[in-house]
Amino acid sequence: QANHHQSQSLSSIQICATKLQPLLQLQFLHSDIIFCGSFLYSMTINPEQPRYLSWPVKICHIFWVFVYVVSFGAGYLCTLPLARAGWSLVWQGAVADTVATIIVWVASLAVGNSSMYDPYWSVLPPVLAAFWSIKGCVNSTNTLWALRTALCLTAICAWAIRLTLNWAMHWDGLNHEDWRYINIRKQITTAVPGTLGKGCYWIVGSFFGIHFFPTVLVFLGMLPVIPAVIFQGDESQSVPLRAVIMLLGAFICFSATAIEGVADVQLRKFVQENKSRGVQGQCMHEGLWKYSRHPNYFGEAMFWWGLFLIGLSGKFSWWWAGCGAMSITCLFIFASIPMMEKRSLERRPEYQRIVDTTSMFVPWFPAKVHRDGPEAQSNTTAETTPYHKS
């Protein structure tokens, strides 16, 4: 009976693929759609997850590069018929981004590890920015446009290289998965036990929550790149104001990347020193971490606001593109940081002292807490929040 239902599902998938084929004009994807459909269906029916792979880290990196090259290549190929049909660059980028995300998710599903998606946040932006820049390239001698394009692409590449390298240095391979994904898996499978719960995790938790939702946020954050790199025609009006906004945005982007880099270096050094001394469970309260409990998240939010200003200098009517930076900032303040701090307090109750004295997000001078007794003057720099993959 199960085989009968599966064959019916595969027949339905084949019919849908056949109908979508002339619409998308992507005949070469016909067999791939059928294969992916049957693969996803079988994984949903009997997903023996988690079942992490014990591949060597180098092999994992090679596999990761292969998956991302295939995903971005497939995303680009999907834009070709859309360009011929006259679709805007926004929608071409959105379709390519979605296709790439789906392929990365299929790879995550295949290896049973949603952390395959982790570097997508930093790898996609330079690829998408290059795509829009090439598509919108024109022969123009406008100095402001050329400078704005150069600053925008340089800022994105500097930020992406730093963040991706930071991920690669700490990635343990496919035998490790982010603790947040593990918690999501446990919550869903506990609420919906059995095979159905495992299927719900991969569709609802993994695809929509872990893969697609961040993809939407990053895409919204990247929208200001379009007015930044695409020549807007007459840019002779308000040149001084445009230049000031552009330079301010570039300064914020580069400063944000520097803040994230310094914060990560300080935290890495602190963790290594404590590990060499055999000390565990300490909380970071030095350097930038003395003025903000999450300086890397603050720097990350700063970057997206700086990118918005660069785009705004290209076309003022794109003020609405700030929704991306706003959404990412809200994600950090109302979701990511509370989740991290809850875990920190559960594992290190003494972390409450840092919560009471140190700004959560925006760096500020630490508050003074008056205590009685000999402990008031000791152990003021003994703790650190857990490692953040900013």
Side-chain angles (χ1 to χ4, degrees):
Q1 185 179 3
N3 292 334
H4 176 68
H5 288 308
Q6 185 172 5
S7 61
Q8 286 184 337
S9 299
L10 294 180
S11 299
S12 300
I13 293 171
Q14 188 171 8
I15 293 173
C16 291
T18 304
K19 291 182 178 181
L20 289 174
Q21 182 178 352
L23 176 63
L24 297 177
Q25 300 180 17
L26 299 174
Q27 291 83 353
F28 59 89
L29 288 179
H30 181 263
S31 59
D32 293 339
I33 293 174
I34 298 175
F35 170 76
C36 291
S38 59
F39 178 77
L40 296 180
Y41 182 81
S42 62
M43 291 298 292
T44 303
I45 294 301
N46 186 27
E48 298 293 338
Q49 309 295 346
R51 187 176 58 229
Y52 300 130
L53 300 178
S54 57
W55 293 349
V57 177
K58 290 184 178 180
I59 300 299
C60 293
H61 278 94
I62 294 174
F63 178 71
W64 170 81
V65 171
F66 170 76
V67 169
Y68 275 63
V69 169
V70 170
S71 64
F72 291 145
Y76 171 73
L77 291 177
C78 288
T79 65
L80 299 180
L82 303 182
R84 290 194 295 267
W87 287 39
S88 68
L89 289 178
V90 174
W91 286 110
Q92 290 183 44
V95 170
D97 197 2
T98 302
V99 170
T101 300
I102 292 175
I103 294 177
V104 173
W105 174 68
V106 170
S108 298
L109 185 60
V111 299
N113 193 327
S114 293
S115 282
M116 276 292 299
Y117 179 81
D118 283 351
Y120 193 89
W121 181 285
S122 59
V123 175
L124 169 76
V127 175
L128 190 58
F131 170 76
W132 280 334
S133 299
I134 295 173
K135 287 284 187 176
C137 184
V138 295
N139 294 323
S140 174
T141 58
N142 186 278
T143 304
L144 186 62
W145 167 74
L147 180 60
R148 185 174 63 244
T149 300
L151 287 175
C152 181
L153 296 180
T154 303
I156 292 175
C157 289
W159 165 84
I161 291 173
R162 191 215 68 81
L163 193 53
T164 305
L165 288 177
N166 184 65
W167 164 82
M169 291 173 59
H170 298 90
W171 190 43
D172 297 327
L174 293 173
N175 61 344
H176 169 78
E177 189 173 26
D178 192 292
W179 62 270
R180 290 166 291 191
Y181 308 161
I182 296 175
N183 288 347
I184 294 174
R185 186 200 304 269
K186 290 180 179 179
Q187 292 172 2
I188 294 179
T189 54
T190 300
V192 186
T195 303
L196 181 60
K198 296 176 181 179
C200 287
Y201 162 71
W202 281 108
I203 296 175
V204 179
S206 180
F207 177 70
F208 287 103
I210 297 173
H211 290 71
F212 189 67
F213 179 66
T215 289
V216 173
L217 291 183
V218 173
F219 184 81
L220 292 177
M222 285 291 295
L223 285 178
V225 174
I226 293 180
V229 302
I230 296 179
F231 185 61
Q232 302 299 321
D234 184 15
E235 297 198 18
S236 60
Q237 298 180 352
S238 306
V239 173
L241 179 59
R242 291 176 184 270
V244 170
I245 296 176
M246 175 190 67
L247 294 177
L248 177 61
F251 174 78
I252 292 175
C253 284
F254 289 114
S255 298
T257 301
I259 289 175
E260 289 185 271
V262 171
D264 284 337
V265 169
Q266 291 175 344
L267 183 56
R268 188 181 308 118
K269 180 180 179 182
F270 183 85
V271 171
Q272 291 174 348
E273 290 178 351
N274 282 295
K275 185 177 181 180
S276 63
R277 295 197 302 262
V279 179
Q280 296 181 352
Q282 299 299 301
C283 293
M284 178 69 163
H285 201 228
E286 302 172 354
L288 293 177
W289 301 84
K290 184 177 181 180
Y291 303 97
S292 171
R293 302 201 298 271
H294 304 275
N296 43 8
Y297 281 141
F298 172 73
E300 183 70 11
M302 274 185 61
F303 170 80
W304 294 105
W305 283 110
L307 194 62
F308 163 67
L309 290 179
I310 295 177
L312 187 65
S313 68
K315 199 167 186 179
F316 295 144
S317 61
W318 277 61
W319 57 267
W320 55 270
C323 64
M326 178 62 70
S327 300
I328 293 173
T329 303
C330 290
L331 172 69
F332 292 159
I333 294 177
F334 298 109
S336 300
I337 291 178
M339 187 184 303
M340 296 292 296
E341 300 213 319
K342 179 182 178 181
R343 185 170 187 257
S344 296
L345 290 171
E346 291 174 350
R347 301 174 64 191
R348 307 174 181 87
E350 61 274 17
Y351 180 64
Q352 184 63 49
R353 179 177 58 81
I354 293 182
V355 174
D356 296 336
T357 60
T358 308
S359 171
M360 180 187 75
F361 191 64
V362 179
W364 194 248
F365 297 101
K368 294 183 179 179
V369 178
H370 299 285
R371 297 181 179 178
D372 296 329
E375 295 182 357
Q377 303 297 326
S378 65
N379 198 28
T380 57
T381 60
E383 301 196 12
T384 172
T385 52
Y387 176 72
H388 291 56
K389 292 181 180 179
S390 64

